[in-house]
């Protein structure tokens, strides 16, 4: 089954890291990625929230600046991983967190949406 591991962090803290500190975290994450090889799908580090846009509202919607989360932490990246169950996905998130312990990781089951076709990893009883 596919899981999304969403990486939250206080963006100001991450931006305060100097190049060496950031490189050290990224090197540690690459080591975790190697341990997850064969199960790890796309992973991405998102751009700054201050440069983000949000589309909301009826009809064509209105584009507004940035996300407006009521939290100190922002979604800064994500992983897609194929795990047997939630416990295995949580273990992978713990491995990621071992490198970046001040980050918060949210684990969610993931269903890919491609009209007319479900991938075997995402097909559930209700998809039949």
């Amino acid at each position: 089954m596919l899981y999304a591991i969403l990486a939250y962090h206080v963006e100001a803290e991450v931006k305060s890291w100097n190049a060496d500190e950031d490189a050290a975290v990224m090197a540690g994450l690459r080591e975790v990625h190697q341990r997850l090889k064969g199960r790890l799908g796309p992973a991405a580090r998102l751009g700054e929230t201050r440069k983000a846009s949000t589309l909301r509202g009826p009809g064509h919607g209105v584009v507004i600046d940035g996300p407006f989360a009521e939290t100190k932490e922002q979604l800064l990246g994500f992983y897609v991983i194929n795990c047997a169950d939630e416990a295995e996905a949580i273990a992978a998130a713990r491995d990621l967190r071992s490198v970046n312990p001040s980050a918060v990781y949210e684990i969610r089951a993931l269903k890919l949406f491609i009209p007319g076709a479900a991938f075997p990893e995402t097909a559930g009883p209700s998809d039949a």
Side-chain angles (χ1 to χ4, degrees):
M1 179 164 196
L2 295 178
Y3 287 87
I5 299 176
L6 308 174
Y8 292 86
H9 209 297
V10 177
E11 189 171 30
E13 182 180 330
V14 173
K15 288 183 62 148
S16 75
W17 296 340
N18 65 37
D20 290 338
E21 291 168 325
D22 188 66
V25 171
M26 295 309 290
L29 290 173
R30 279 191 294 281
E31 290 176 16
V32 175
H33 296 174
Q34 284 301 311
R35 289 194 290 274
L36 299 173
K37 196 171 188 171
R39 296 186 301 133
L40 185 63
R45 190 177 202 180
L46 300 175
E48 298 176 55
T49 56
R50 70 179 181 85
K51 294 182 179 178
S53 298
T54 300
L55 175 65
R56 65 173 61 214
H60 285 90
V62 176
V63 176
I64 55 176
D65 292 340
F68 291 97
E70 296 293 327
T71 179
K72 290 183 179 181
E73 295 141 350
Q74 291 79 34
L75 176 62
L76 298 184
F78 64 90
Y79 300 86
V80 175
I81 187 166
N82 192 1
C83 296
D85 55 28
E86 183 182 29
E88 191 173 295
I90 290 170
R94 282 195 170 117
D95 202 7
L96 291 164
R97 191 170 187 275
S98 71
V99 176
N100 192 0
S102 57
V104 174
Y105 292 92
E106 178 180 343
I107 298 95
R108 291 194 192 182
L110 179 65
K111 287 190 170 224
L112 295 178
F113 177 70
I114 299 177
F119 286 105
E121 294 89 355
T122 64
S126 62
D127 295 327

